Amino acid sequence: MHISPFDELAETCAALLDIYVQWAKQRGLSANEFFVLYQIGRHGSATPKEIGEEWCLPKQTVSFVCKQLAEKGWLRIEADEYDKRGKRLFLSEAGASHALPMVAELHALEAQTAEWFGLEKLNSLIQQLQHLQLVFTRQAKLNHGNQSKR
């Protein structure tokens, strides 16, 4: 059976994401806990919506994980000053002591990998993937429009 280039791309992207999942497990975290802590640790704070959009997680999953991390004492949840109904998440002191070294370690690993792979090649790959995503999105929208006319 012939594997399409999109199948190979999807498998490669899944394998890359799995590196992060396995890295989190080695540190005693679920993938979703890691995604939440990484996002907040990287940006200083985040909303549940931002985390869900960045990591393609359902709102309920993000809410559940944030509640668990808050119960552990790793997150502080405050009202979002820009959206009175929304919440903004911050690392507590305990959360920062766990998450920030992890984020720094991962950034060092990513930088080392980028250097070994070649920063210019990596940036070119990112640009090409972004362009592919844009073209694929357009095609999917066009195809959806054709499907709804039938």
Side-chain angles (χ1 to χ4, degrees):
M1 182 174 165
H2 176 65
I3 297 177
S4 79
F6 274 86
D7 288 338
E8 288 187 60
L9 179 62
E11 289 172 11
T12 301
C13 289
L16 283 169
L17 183 61
D18 191 55
I19 294 168
Y20 287 88
V21 170
Q22 295 307 315
W23 197 85
K25 284 182 183 177
Q26 292 169 357
R27 283 144 188 85
L29 297 171
S30 73
N32 293 334
E33 287 173 326
F34 166 75
F35 297 147
V36 168
L37 292 171
Y38 182 77
Q39 185 77 10
I40 298 168
R42 191 172 66 178
H43 296 288
S45 71
T47 65
K49 181 180 179 182
E50 291 167 347
I51 295 167
E53 288 174 355
E54 179 77 16
W55 294 98
C56 299
L57 296 172
K59 190 167 97 171
Q60 298 87 343
T61 300
V62 175
S63 295
F64 178 75
V65 170
C66 290
K67 183 179 176 189
Q68 286 183 316
L69 291 171
E71 287 172 0
K72 279 184 169 181
W74 289 17
L75 285 187
R76 246 182 32 248
I77 302 172
E78 298 179 6
D80 188 341
E81 65 183 78
Y82 302 107
D83 177 2
K84 298 303 176 196
R85 296 177 300 160
K87 303 288 181 206
R88 183 149 289 277
L89 309 167
F90 298 87
L91 295 173
S92 67
E93 193 172 312
S97 72
H98 284 87
L100 295 181
M102 179 185 66
V103 169
E105 182 183 354
L106 185 55
H107 278 191
L109 176 62
E110 291 168 334
Q112 179 185 29
T113 301
E115 185 178 321
W116 183 85
F117 181 76
L119 194 52
E120 190 174 309
K121 281 181 11 183
L122 181 59
N123 286 330
S124 176
L125 176 62
I126 291 166
Q127 288 177 342
Q128 290 175 28
L129 286 170
Q130 288 171 337
H131 185 247
L132 175 63
Q133 184 267 330
L134 179 67
V135 170
F136 194 34
T137 299
R138 286 181 187 157
Q139 288 303 114
K141 286 180 181 176
L142 284 174
N143 189 35
H144 178 71
N146 292 337
Q147 294 290 329
S148 62
K149 292 178 184 176
R150 292 182 183 174

